Amino acid sequence: MSFARELARRALSIRSETAPAEAAHIARRAFADTIGVALAGADAPYLDGLEAVLDTASAPGQATLWGRGRRASVLHAPLVNGTAAHALDFDDCSTTMGGHPSAPVVPVVLALAEWTGATAGKAIEAWMTGVEVETRLARGLLPHHYEKGWHPTATLGVFGATAAAARMFDFDEERMATALAVAVSMASGLKSNFGTPVKPLHVGQAAHNAVMAALVTRRGMTANPEAFEHNYGFFNLFNGAGTYDAEAILRDWDGPMEVLDPGIAIKQHPCCGSAHSAIDAGLDIVAREGLLPADAIERIETSTHDRRLAHTNRPDPRTGLDAKFSVQFLTAKALTTGRIRLADFDDASFLTPELADLLPRVAASGHQERDAYLGRVRVVMKDGRVFEGSASTRFGRGPTNPMSDTELRDKFTDCATPLLGEAGAGAAYDAILSLGDDDRFDGIMAMISGKGDTA
C-alpha cells in the first residue's frame, strides 16, 4: 500500500467522539488564536496587493476575509486569511513541526465550513486531523528538512490543510490519499525569504493549494499514489535518501495525540519563536534587576542553539519585519523595555535612537547543547556589574506552562480591538471559545468580518 494511502487511513482514524475532550477545547483555542493574529495582520500593506492580484473586489465569493470587510472565493479566502494569520509571526507553534500548525489549517477549515454550512464539531475534527498529519510528517522529516532550508509551516502545512479539507468534504481513504498525492506537487516554502512578506505568503499559498488539491480531487483528478516515496517524490527530493524515516510518521497513531503531547504552544511574543528563549532570558534579568537603560549597557551577549541562530542572527535589521527575526534587536528590546509588543515592529518607529546606538554592542553566538531551546543572556554594564539570565522556551508556552484562557483572551483582544473595538473583540473571543458541536460559523464570521462599528 502506498504511503499516501497509509497516511490517509491513519488520518481518518481521528474522530471527535473518541478524542479526549481537551483536544476539542484546544481546537477552539487554535481557532481563536489564529483568527486573532490574522485580524492583527489584516492591515499588512502587502495584503492589498495580494487582493488586487486575486481581484477579490470584483469577484466576491463564499468565504469571509477576516477583518477586511469583504468576501472571496473558497480558494482565495484561505490564501488571504492564511497570509494574514502569519503576517505578524504571532501564530501558534509546534515543537515537533518546527513551525506553526494552525495558520495553514484554520483558514481552510473555516472557509469550507462557511461555504458548506458545516458544524463546529465537524470543523474541530478536521482541524485535529490536519494538525496530526502535518506534525506526524515532521516526526520523520525533521530536523533535516528544516536545516536544509525548507519552511515546514508551508511544506508540511499543505498536507495538514489538505487532510483537513478532505475531512470537510467527507473524503474516503482513497480520495484523501489522492488529494495528498496531488498536494505533493504543490508543496513549497524556502527559508531564504524569512524576514520578508513572502514568508507569510508561504502559509496562504499552502492553504490555497490544499483547497485546490481537495477540489480537483472531487472533480476526478488523479495523481501518482506513490508521490511521497517515489524516487522523484517528496521524501527524496525535499529531504534526500537516508535523511527521513517514513515508518516514524506512520507509527503510534493509537498513542497520545500531538495536539495534547507535546501540544500546541500559544506565542506570547509577536516575533520569531527561535528568539523567544533569548527574550525570556532577558526578561529573567529584568525581573530581578529592573529595566536596564540602553545608555548604561556596555555590551550584551546572547547564546541560542545553532539551529535557531541560523535565521535570527540579524545584527542590523532594516525593517520592522526584519526585526522580528533579529535576536539582537529582540533581546535588547526585552532588556530595556520589559516586553515585546505588536507596536514594536512599526517600520517608522521600531528602531529608536537608543536601540540604534545599542545594537552594535549586542553579540549573538550559537551553541549545540542537547536542549535546543536553551537561551542565555549576559549583560555587562558600564559600571562593571554583570547580569546573567537563562530560559528554555519551546516556541511559546507548551503544555507544561500553558497560556490560560484568560491570558489568551487578553492576547486576542489586543490583536482584534483595533478592527473590532474592545467590546466586539471580547464578544468574538467568547463566541469562539463557547462553540458547541452543532453550532455554525455564520455569527462569528459576521463578527470578525471587519464591517462593524469599532467604537
Side-chain angles (χ1 to χ4, degrees):
M1 187 178 292
S2 72
F3 178 87
R5 190 68 176 261
E6 294 278 11
L7 184 60
R9 173 174 296 179
R10 287 159 176 78
L12 287 169
S13 72
I14 304 294
R15 296 285 180 183
S16 290
E17 59 264 28
T18 58
E22 180 64 14
H25 183 63
I26 292 169
R28 295 183 187 93
R29 283 165 57 94
F31 290 171
D33 189 61
T34 305
I35 290 169
V37 297
L39 290 172
D43 62 353
Y46 47 83
L47 289 179
D48 292 337
L50 180 57
E51 276 205 61
V53 168
L54 301 176
D55 200 18
T56 57
S58 64
Q62 308 95 336
T64 300
L65 298 180
W66 308 337
R68 294 184 65 82
R70 291 180 289 282
R71 297 174 68 82
S73 76
V74 76
L75 275 170
H76 290 164
L79 176 53
V80 176
N81 291 336
T83 303
H86 199 52
L88 302 179
D89 218 290
F90 206 10
D91 39 323
D92 67 17
C93 303
S94 160
T95 57
T96 302
M97 187 181 177
H100 307 263
S102 292
V105 175
V106 171
V108 169
V109 169
L110 296 189
L112 294 180
E114 199 173 359
W115 183 35
T116 64
T119 64
K122 186 170 188 175
I124 286 169
E125 186 174 74
W127 176 86
M128 291 179 191
T129 302
V131 173
E132 291 300 307
V133 165
E134 63 195 3
T135 53
R136 287 173 183 270
L137 279 165
R139 287 186 182 187
L141 295 167
L142 267 63
H144 184 79
H145 188 81
Y146 188 87
E147 291 171 349
K148 192 171 183 180
W150 297 114
H151 181 195
T153 306
T155 55
L156 305 185
V158 69
F159 300 117
T162 298
R167 293 306 295 267
M168 295 300 292
F169 287 136
D170 294 318
F171 280 5
D172 60 14
E173 183 181 302
E174 180 179 3
R175 285 206 293 174
M176 181 185 282
T178 298
L180 290 167
V182 171
V184 165
S185 287
M186 298 178 171
S188 190
L190 310 177
K191 285 166 63 178
S192 60
N193 269 317
F194 279 20
T196 79
V198 179
K199 182 175 187 274
L201 181 61
H202 290 169
V203 181
Q205 191 66 43
H208 168 276
N209 287 351
V211 177
M212 175 69 78
L215 287 174
V216 298
T217 298
R218 285 180 93 206
R219 294 287 185 172
M221 178 71 72
T222 60
N224 183 352
E226 297 180 348
F228 283 93
E229 67 268 35
H230 190 277
N231 187 45
Y232 297 127
F234 183 83
F235 292 150
N236 285 309
L237 292 182
F238 277 66
N239 264 56
T243 68
Y244 62 88
D245 183 353
E247 287 302 313
I249 299 167
L250 300 176
R251 280 197 300 267
D252 301 327
W253 282 69
D254 57 348
M257 297 176 69
E258 276 278 339
V259 302
L260 299 174
D261 183 16
I264 303 300
I266 304 294
K267 269 192 171 182
Q268 67 267 41
H269 307 306
C271 57
C272 180
S274 290
H276 280 203
S277 59
I279 293 169
D280 288 344
L283 294 177
D284 176 49
I285 294 172
V286 170
R288 289 182 277 110
E289 308 296 338
L291 297 178
L292 305 183
D295 60 2
I297 297 173
E298 179 67 31
R299 67 181 183 275
I300 299 169
E301 301 164 1
T302 76
S303 177
T304 52
H305 196 276
D306 285 342
R307 191 183 307 151
R308 318 255 173 251
L309 185 63
H311 54 273
T312 59
N313 186 15
R314 299 171 185 245
D316 186 25
R318 301 301 178 90
T319 66
L321 184 57
D322 199 23
K324 284 177 174 282
F325 292 85
S326 169
V327 70
Q328 294 92 338
F329 172 89
L330 294 165
T331 306
K333 192 75 176 179
L335 287 165
T336 56
T337 67
R339 62 179 296 188
I340 306 294
R341 302 174 302 167
L342 287 168
D344 292 335
F345 302 102
D346 181 83
D347 283 341
S349 60
F350 81 97
L351 194 59
T352 64
E354 294 80 11
L355 276 179
D357 181 65
L358 178 57
L359 281 181
R361 305 197 299 276
V362 184
S365 64
H367 65 72
Q368 294 186 338
E369 297 190 33
R370 178 182 293 274
D371 183 356
Y373 301 97
L374 177 64
R376 295 191 181 93
V377 171
R378 183 173 185 265
V379 183
V380 180
M381 305 299 288
K382 289 181 177 179
D383 62 9
R385 290 178 298 161
V386 176
F387 305 130
E388 295 184 341
S390 65
S392 182
T393 306
R394 299 172 67 84
F395 285 108
R397 297 188 185 187
T400 59
N401 181 28
M403 182 179 284
S404 70
D405 287 353
T406 300
E407 288 174 319
L408 180 57
R409 191 182 197 274
D410 289 342
K411 175 182 173 180
F412 183 94
T413 54
D414 184 43
C415 288
T417 292
L419 279 175
L420 307 185
E422 186 174 353
Y429 177 82
D430 294 341
I432 297 167
L433 263 287
S434 63
L435 277 166
D437 285 349
D438 294 330
D439 291 339
R440 287 179 165 77
F441 289 92
D442 296 353
I444 288 171
M445 290 300 116
M447 296 171 79
I448 67 171
S449 69
K451 293 180 178 178
D453 182 10
T454 62

